[in-house]
Amino acid sequence: MNAIYKNLAVIGLGIVSLTSCYKDDSNLDIKPVNQIGLSDPKSATQMTIFQGDSLKLKPALTQSLAENISNVEFTWLLYNNNGAVSLAAPREEIATGHELKIVVKPETFTLGEPFIIRLRATDKQTGVSSYLNYSVLVGNKYATGWMVLEDKAGKGDLSFIFTDYTAEHGIYNDRNTSAITGPRKLEITTYPVTDDISATGKRMYILADQGSQEYNYLTMVKKFDYSFLFFSAPSVINPTVMTWTSQYTYSGVRSPSLGIAINNGKLHSNLVGGFPGVKKWGDIALNPQGNRNYSLAPFVVGGETFPAIVYDNTDKRFYRIQAYNPTPVAGTLEAFPSGASTGVSSVFDMNDVGMTMIFQDSADVAHDYNAIMKDANNQPFLLRYKTKNTTASPIITLGKTQMNAPGILNFSAAAGSTRTPHIYYGNGNVLSRYETSSNTVVETYSFPTGENITCVKYARDYVDRAGAKLAVATWNGTQGKVYYFAINTVGGIGSYTKVVTDFARIVDMAYKY
């Protein structure tokens, strides 16, 4: 048996030896694979894209064997590249074909989010694919500039003036379906608000005769109807103010303290922070007499001592606002402490002014405000007061002056300077600079005849940081314009430096940053 095994082993070794000497020519049957190459300089860095814009991408294509592009299948994929998002997040197919041509829509591209757009090119015969990734960030081209609210034959629309003084028109109608009827006012906050209705952020409201609404501060897409913002919607919709006042600044950032809505002359307040849950505007506030027999002027201010101050044109007096009262569940209008006003006749009593407020804005000193009043004899007065006091200095009334400002009672628009003692106001086609310290109009500027002033806004911290700017809107019956004046260190107007045209009638403007 051992001999047999030995013979078999020798035979086996022989076979192996013969096999090893055989040349393997099987690789002659392997066919070369078509190698697809994709390249684009745009893929090397992150691109910023904007909602509403068209995105076009067409990378260079190379093939090692084929010359016909028809043998390649193209698929464009999109997925979120935010590190906080799971890697298992779905990839969405957004297009096919060699060239990508899509509109950057909000429902697909979330503002502020980073995305990867991936092109997959597949050889139809072999199924072998090549890939090219584009890194994109959805930016906000409306982050800094002037928001313009226009009246187009009774319907509202928005335009935006960029920092290079180019303008984009029809923004509201481009992204919203509900109409704004009788546009009145544009309200935006310069600090983030936490109300738990939606994500913490800046707020934007458009007030109108009908259809007042809250809009996304970044995209200007409608968020909520006006009535939704109240725990109990007002029976009459007649808004004049919807804003947030701020008492304090934390680490250089202002924060809201109280929401104030004035609707049909009545006050609604809104607490912010400090407790969980949705925060909306409450019921109509009561005055100190416990009734609703008052009519508030469309202005509100706030400061460190008094979070919100309003003026009643019925009883002709100021009120400070108590943020919360359990019965009814709303804020209340409160009298000022007796020590807040001086008895000197050259000043005034916050609880007994006796005049009608027609305008109010910030003064050139922090926490100080200028109020333009009209007395029973139709004479204009300037009242100055502050929203911050101390135990050592409890009086907040600062001064009362009969104004020497021609046409001020019939002004069409006005704005206060926060750097110099001036109020700029329009009357017809004339822009005037009233100086509060000298009680005189120290400068005027005349626009072309028939080009009347509809809006005046003062911007202290303009994007170019070259100094303050004054934006003045005019309307000649056919076209609206916005003129920009570079205000010098003493408040001088001079001549305009820029003009932007082709608007409808401008109702309001706000500098957005």
Side-chain angles (χ1 to χ4, degrees), residues 159-302:
S159 290
F160 196 85
I161 302 175
F162 299 96
T163 55
D164 63 354
Y165 299 100
T166 60
E168 184 175 326
H169 302 286
I171 295 174
Y172 176 86
N173 290 328
D174 181 57
R175 57 197 60 207
N176 295 281
T177 56
S178 57
I180 303 173
T181 302
R184 297 180 175 180
K185 193 175 184 182
L186 181 63
E187 298 266 39
I188 63 174
T189 68
T190 56
Y191 40 82
V193 173
T194 303
D195 57 14
D196 290 338
I197 297 178
S198 54
T200 299
K202 297 179 180 180
R203 297 292 186 252
M204 172 181 167
Y205 310 99
I206 295 178
L207 305 185
D209 295 342
Q210 301 175 38
S212 298
Q213 298 159 351
E214 179 180 345
Y215 295 82
N216 186 298
Y217 182 85
L218 300 176
T219 64
M220 290 163 284
V221 174
K222 174 189 170 182
K223 289 171 62 178
F224 309 117
D225 284 325
Y226 183 78
S227 58
F228 175 80
L229 300 173
F230 295 79
F231 283 119
S232 179
S235 58
V236 176
I237 304 297
N238 183 22
T240 53
V241 171
M242 179 165 275
T243 190
W244 298 81
T245 61
S246 176
Q247 281 182 277
Y248 306 109
T249 299
Y250 298 99
S251 300
V253 179
R254 291 178 64 193
S255 61
S257 55
L258 190 61
I260 299 296
I262 298 177
N263 179 76
N264 203 34
K266 312 303 179 188
L267 172 75
H268 301 260
S269 63
N270 187 341
L271 283 172
V272 62
F275 60 95
V278 170
K279 303 154 186 82
K280 294 186 176 184
W281 273 268
D283 202 354
I284 297 175
L286 303 181
N287 63 15
Q289 294 77 40
N291 61 54
R292 298 173 176 175
N293 184 25
Y294 62 87
S295 178
L296 300 183
F299 309 98
V300 58
V301 301

Side-chain angles (χ1 to χ4, degrees), residues 14-28:
I15 294 173
V16 171
S17 178
L18 290 172
T19 303
S20 64
C21 294
Y22 177 76
K23 185 176 181 180
D24 185 3
D25 291 328
S26 61
N27 60 352
L28 295 176

